[in-house]
Amino acid sequence: MAKKIRVLIVDDSASVRQALTQVLEADGDIEVMGVASDPFVAARRIQEEVPDVVTLDVEMPKMDGITFLRKLMSQHPIPVVMCSSLTEEGSQTLMQALEAGAVDIILKPKIGAADHLSESGAMIRETVKGAAAARVKGVSRRPPLAGATQAKLTADAVLPPPTGRAMAKTTEMVVCVGASTGGTEALRELLVALPANAPGIVIVQHMPEKFTSAFSSRLNTLCQVEVKEAEHGDPVLRGHVLIAPGGRHMMLERQGARYIVAVKDGPLVSRHRPSVDVLFRSAARSAGANAMGVIMTGMGDDGARGMDEMHKAGAFTLAQDEATSVVFGMPKEAIARGGVDRVVPLEQIAREILAASRRHLG
């Protein structure tokens, strides 16, 4: 029988500690081994028993979460998921947390609204499971649990499948990228390596709403390409990167001789919104052989079906390799479905994108 994922919750709010405990323990594979009201209590708890995952509040008395995270990563690396309320200021701080070694972000659960708790609870549990399987500072963690999985919707819930007829190469190539756990830092490495005239790129990174705006702004200060959070109707242009807003699906649509993105509400697909499967399916439908698909580090299988659809529609497809993935779930599932043309390390993806663009232009 597989061991449960043991979680330590660190938050100064008793109601948040209680709500997170209820959300996490609704999954039989997860056990809350303890709670702590501040980092000093947490440190003593970790000395007694090392958890598989720590959920860590950003703002706490005695020591803030970022300072504790840095100390923890330097002394005893453990997968840490940062937990924050939905604020613009907090989202800026969380970018620092991701750079300091946190593997992911969750929003504090809202108490009372049963439908919100149900939907956000599924995403919180998925995030914690992804963190448990994550490599931290090159140390391989426990494999993902193979227990019973919750029922989940496919991209059929948002848009119909491709017609099966591959579209001819008639426009510039559009690069569609999907990532989850570990993806924030992997995307930073990828995008920083691209020149200002790189092909247009659209990205789904699993991340809560508001945080994608701060993430995009941060990347824009580091990259030669222009990076922004996508808005409905934005054109996909050479030298520009559009990142799907957290909490909404993003789809690629053709408009005459160019491509735009549609940003829409909808149900969780593959337990996520935005969903990589939704983006990839839209690319298969609207771009066919004019698209390139890239699937990167992440827990679960979001994007595997969509990448197979892109591949069958004539797109060139790429997966990040296991050695450079924080979690090899999403690339592994895409490879298993047979929809991946090449598997390469993270540092080679930018070169592959540029080479594919040159081939496409002929």
Side-chain angles (χ1 to χ4, degrees):
M1 202 171 160
K3 283 180 63 179
K4 291 187 177 184
I5 295 168
R6 297 164 304 144
V7 181
L8 175 64
I9 297 170
V10 187
D11 198 296
D12 64 323
S13 166
S15 61
V16 169
R17 294 196 299 270
Q18 182 180 17
L20 269 178
T21 298
Q22 291 173 348
V23 164
L24 291 173
E25 292 197 331
D27 189 312
D29 290 332
I30 300 174
E31 172 191 354
V32 176
M33 55 163 268
V35 297
S37 57
D38 65 59
F40 291 95
V41 175
R44 290 196 295 273
R45 190 73 180 82
I46 290 169
Q47 285 179 341
E48 296 167 5
E49 184 181 2
V50 179
D52 296 308
V53 178
V54 174
T55 70
L56 179 60
D57 188 20
V58 176
E59 296 179 5
M60 288 179 292
K62 299 184 182 178
M63 182 188 294
D64 69 89
I66 305 292
T67 302
F68 179 61
L69 172 67
R70 289 184 176 128
K71 289 180 180 292
L72 188 63
M73 298 310 287
S74 65
Q75 297 170 15
H76 200 133
I78 298 170
V80 173
V81 175
M82 299 305 293
C83 184
S84 173
S85 55
L86 189 61
T87 64
E88 296 286 359
E89 186 178 341
S91 63
Q92 294 291 344
T93 307
L94 284 162
M95 292 306 104
Q96 298 175 28
L98 291 166
E99 290 171 1
V103 297
D104 221 326
I105 298 166
I106 57 175
L107 285 178
K108 290 187 178 183
K110 294 176 183 174
I111 317 299
D115 57 343
H116 174 87
L117 260 184
S118 173
E119 187 173 277
S120 65
M123 289 189 280
I124 288 169
R125 291 187 288 270
E126 189 85 356
T127 300
V128 166
K129 286 183 172 183
R135 285 188 179 90
V136 179
K137 291 198 170 181
V139 179
S140 184
R141 302 297 297 179
R142 60 187 292 161
L145 293 175
T149 57
Q150 296 169 292
K152 56 186 178 182
L153 297 176
T154 69
D156 291 347
V158 178
L159 73 168
T163 60
R165 183 179 177 85
M167 186 180 294
K169 295 182 180 180
T170 57
T171 63
E172 284 205 26
M173 190 181 77
V174 177
V175 183
C176 302
V177 182
S180 187
T181 313
T184 51
E185 285 301 287
L187 286 169
R188 179 185 60 78
E189 184 171 332
L190 165 61
L191 296 180
V192 164
L194 291 170
N197 67 341
I201 299 175
V202 287
I203 295 173
V204 165
Q205 161 69 45
H206 295 156
M207 188 178 272
E209 53 185 307
K210 297 286 188 187
F211 301 130
T212 44
S213 175
F215 178 53
S216 305
S217 298
R218 172 65 175 150
L219 287 175
N220 193 49
T221 66
L222 301 172
C223 302
Q224 296 180 65
V225 288
E226 291 189 31
V227 185
K228 72 181 289 282
E229 184 183 61
E231 297 175 72
H232 186 71
D234 275 346
V236 181
L237 303 171
R238 182 168 280 274
H240 289 69
V241 176
L242 299 174
I243 296 180
R248 306 193 75 192
H249 290 301
M250 182 174 71
M251 287 163 272
L252 188 69
E253 295 184 350
R254 187 159 183 174
Q255 188 179 74
R258 66 175 187 166
Y259 294 97
I260 63 169
V261 293
V263 176
K264 298 180 180 178
D265 295 321
L268 299 181
V269 172
S270 301
R271 301 195 196 98
H272 295 283
R273 188 179 56 242
S275 161
V276 182
D277 269 330
V278 169
L279 173 63
F280 283 2
R281 171 171 287 188
S282 72
R285 285 173 53 84
S286 300
N290 297 304
M292 174 181 178
V294 180
I295 196 158
M296 298 175 68
T297 175
M299 177 75 173
D301 64 358
D302 187 26
R305 291 179 185 84
M307 176 156 276
D308 190 41
E309 291 170 349
M310 286 185 72
H311 184 259
K312 288 173 179 173
F316 175 59
T317 55
L318 204 67
Q320 183 178 349
D321 72 357
E322 183 172 11
T324 60
S325 293
V326 172
V327 180
F328 192 51
M330 285 165 48
K332 182 179 180 180
E333 291 296 327
I335 294 164
R337 279 185 170 264
V340 175
D341 289 312
R342 293 201 66 188
V343 181
V344 298
L346 173 59
E347 61 271 17
Q348 197 175 318
I349 296 177
R351 292 199 301 272
E352 290 286 341
I353 288 172
L354 297 176
S357 178
R358 287 192 296 269
R359 289 196 303 270
H360 186 85
L361 292 172

